[in-house]
Amino acid sequence: MYTDSHCHITDDSLYNRIDEIMENCFSQNVSNLMVICCKETDFIRACSLKEKYPFIRIAFGWFPGDAKEIGESHFKILEKNIDKIDCIGEIGLDYYWDDSFKEEQKSIFIKQILLANQYQKPIAIHMRSATKDTLDILKEYAQTKILFHCFSGSKETMMECLKLNSYISFAGPITFKNARQAPECIINCPVDHLLTETDSPYLSPVPFRGKQNEPKNVQYVVKKICELKQIEETVLCSQIEKNFYSFFNKD
């Protein structure tokens, strides 16, 4: 059974064929999904999906790139729905496209971490071109479990993340020929802190690179990790499933 710890299947680009998406999950043995919601409409759709498919986990949080538009009303939405939220995410910092509003990003990041602390919810982290600031904030504020989504950093950065007792999730780019840092990271990532994801509809793995992604393709991420770590696929899938459940359990 495969695990997709980060997918955007309530995004318009996938939700218009959601029955097919879910059927593909069943046919390809994808038994665990965390649906990431960055808008209230995504969250409403995810809640409806979970009623039909109870194995779905829901993550809801305000994306760093939207920081300029996030106000107190947005935090009230999160808090009002906190009992339906399994994870607060994806949250974090992204200086790649625009670093002109770093302070706004930091502010909403910290506020969401504090909300996660208050309600004992794990957090899913988006960290792009903002490694130092992200880790500094997590070290100071985070008190719940952490998942670094679509990890693409160096082995040294990964080791710093692991010091926070976090989970490291890998996605389709690890299958790309130009994935220079991924092999070393995967080989050195403890298997009990490793997760897999698609980030669908984005980042399709080889052999579907450039096409729309969906959860059924997480198997190609798993197979690449098995190749690099020299581990049987059934063994790895079982461990990833345990890690996924552990992420949501309070210690």
Side-chain angles (χ1 to χ4, degrees), residues 105-124:
Q105 289 195 40
K106 290 177 185 178
S107 177
I108 69 161
F109 185 25
I110 292 168
K111 286 181 179 179
Q112 290 182 99
I113 293 173
L114 295 177
L115 193 66
N117 293 344
Q118 180 180 350
Y119 291 99
Q120 286 296 290
K121 301 290 182 179
I123 53 178

Side-chain angles (χ1 to χ4, degrees), residues 46-227:
C47 289
S48 177
L49 272 180
K50 190 169 184 176
E51 289 180 7
K52 191 174 181 180
Y53 307 107
F55 65 89
I56 285 176
R57 305 283 185 142
I58 298 175
F60 186 19
W62 305 116
F63 188 71
D66 298 326
K68 292 178 184 177
E69 286 76 45
I70 303 304
E72 285 305 313
S73 62
H74 293 83
F75 292 99
K76 289 179 180 177
I77 291 170
L78 287 182
E79 194 160 14
K80 179 181 71 174
N81 292 290
I82 202 72
D83 290 342
K84 298 177 183 178
I85 298 171
D86 299 297
C87 170
I88 294 183
E90 61 188 285
I91 62 175
L93 302 175
D94 189 327
Y95 300 162
Y96 181 79
W97 298 109
D98 184 353
D99 65 358
S100 67
F101 58 111
K102 290 182 180 180
E103 295 310 311
E104 290 92 337
Q105 289 195 40
K106 290 177 185 178
S107 177
I108 69 161
F109 185 25
I110 292 168
K111 286 181 179 179
Q112 290 182 99
I113 293 173
L114 295 177
L115 193 66
N117 293 344
Q118 180 180 350
Y119 291 99
Q120 286 296 290
K121 301 290 182 179
I123 53 178
I125 303 301
H126 176 103
M127 178 173 68
R128 191 172 188 190
S129 301
T131 299
K132 184 180 185 304
D133 284 353
T134 303
L135 292 180
D136 285 349
I137 287 172
L138 289 170
K139 288 172 184 177
E140 183 172 356
Y141 294 100
Q143 297 174 7
T144 61
K145 292 183 179 179
I146 301 167
L147 185 163
F148 286 91
H149 122 80
C150 192
F151 189 82
S152 60
S154 65
K155 174 191 169 185
E156 291 72 25
T157 296
M158 184 185 75
M159 291 306 181
E160 286 300 307
C161 294
L162 287 168
K163 288 178 183 178
L164 299 171
N165 195 29
S166 64
Y167 294 82
I168 308 295
S169 183
F170 295 99
I174 69 168
T175 67
F176 300 169
K177 288 182 179 179
N178 63 349
R180 297 182 182 87
Q181 299 185 111
E184 185 179 24
C185 287
I186 290 165
I187 290 167
N188 286 279
C189 184
V191 72
D192 59 345
H193 285 263
L194 189 152
L195 286 167
T196 49
E197 63 170 276
T198 59
D199 198 20
S200 50
Y202 316 108
L203 302 179
S204 289
V206 173
F208 303 107
R209 187 175 183 181
K211 299 178 181 179
Q212 188 181 66
N213 203 6
E214 61 178 281
K216 71 179 179 67
N217 293 332
V218 75
Q219 62 183 291
Y220 297 98
V221 178
V222 171
K223 293 178 192 302
K224 186 63 178 181
I225 293 171
C226 288
E227 174 191 324

